[in-house]
Amino acid sequence: MASLPPHLTGWQILDEPLAIHKRGDSRARREASAAMAARVKFPEQALDQRPGRWSGGLAQRLAVGRALMLQPELLVLDEPLSALDPTLAGHLLELLLELKAAGTALLFVSHDLPAVARLCDQMLVLYGGEPMCQGPAAALLRELRHPYLRGLWEAVPHLDAPHAPRRWGVEAVRPEQEGGCRLYPRCPSATEACRIAPPEGAAMRCHHPF
Ligand code: SF4
């Protein structure tokens, strides 16, 4: 919501990138804006309104639509599904898959691992800004070798395993150790080796991967 100019209507927000880049006359830009609103399932009548009238989900769809107006080669998406209900999130995910199939590169920042599994080819898992593991997303999520990635996956609600154990808590269970692994205070797999020295490596930073 904060990224949308509060004084502009939906029409003006979608038009702005095209106008700045001098793409088409006002009529062509209007048609392109209407087509984009339909594409991201933003109701055309709400384009006459300003962002203050919209729900978080509507604002998020318009923000994605605005980002697509110039048909970018790279789209950077930071938690794009987080404010959407499951139906709209599913629709946006389909749209992102379409864009990817059409050749748009996506940098998708998310805690939504099922969405990552559907959308991403390569994956980098960060904790506190530091890389924990990286590689092909399908293999990382199938094997769940890194304890932190496994903990994130276990936190996802699964219909077929309602009582799956959750081994990671938000609270630290042991004090932080300077020079040790960043995850030492919270990791259920931590040992003395994790307390003493940080794990190294490019693809897998852990002394005891599964
Ligand atoms: S190095 Fe140790 S504390 Fe760090 S993630 Fe691996 S097992 Fe856990």
Side-chain angles (χ1 to χ4, degrees):
M1 184 65 87
S3 74
L4 297 173
H7 60 294
L8 299 184
T9 65
W11 286 113
Q12 290 168 323
I13 291 171
L14 291 180
D15 179 87
E16 195 175 39
L18 297 178
I20 289 171
H21 288 262
K22 300 187 172 39
R23 302 259 181 103
D25 58 20
S26 60
R27 185 175 167 180
R29 296 202 306 266
R30 177 101 176 175
E31 285 170 6
S33 299
M36 182 56 71
R39 194 172 175 196
V40 296
K41 293 263 187 293
F42 188 94
E44 196 171 319
Q45 64 273 21
L47 287 174
D48 289 322
Q49 300 168 347
R50 293 181 172 76
R53 298 283 304 278
W54 303 333
S55 65
L58 273 186
Q60 197 145 2
R61 273 181 279 163
L62 196 89
V64 172
R66 177 181 61 176
L68 294 174
M69 287 302 286
L70 293 172
Q71 300 171 326
E73 291 177 11
L74 169 67
L75 200 54
V76 180
L77 301 130
D78 190 356
E79 298 283 7
L81 309 176
S82 60
L84 303 180
D85 67 42
T87 309
L88 293 176
H91 175 76
L92 183 54
L93 201 52
E94 292 299 327
L95 176 64
L96 296 176
L97 284 164
E98 265 177 41
L99 290 170
K100 183 183 163 193
T104 305
L106 305 175
L107 179 61
F108 186 67
V109 182
S110 181
H111 285 84
D112 187 338
L113 289 182
V116 170
R118 282 194 65 194
L119 193 61
C120 300
D121 299 321
Q122 294 290 320
M123 182 175 176
L124 168 67
V125 179
L126 298 173
Y127 177 78
E130 284 184 22
M132 292 292 127
C133 58
Q134 60 183 305
L140 285 183
L141 289 169
R142 184 178 61 247
E143 296 166 359
L144 298 174
R145 293 191 66 216
H146 196 284
Y148 182 57
L149 180 56
R150 189 169 286 225
L152 289 175
W153 187 258
E154 286 174 354
V156 176
H158 295 284
L159 285 177
D160 54 349
H163 303 299
R166 293 187 55 182
R167 305 175 314 131
W168 283 78
V170 275
E171 303 293 336
V173 291
R174 52 187 89 82
E176 200 159 330
Q177 294 295 323
E178 202 173 326
C181 175
R182 284 289 300 269
L183 286 158
Y184 176 77
R186 293 177 58 195
C187 178
S189 304
T191 65
E192 184 64 8
C194 313
R195 187 181 70 80
I196 295 169
E200 293 181 353
M204 177 68 57
R205 280 199 194 162
C206 179
H207 290 307
H208 312 294
F210 290 98

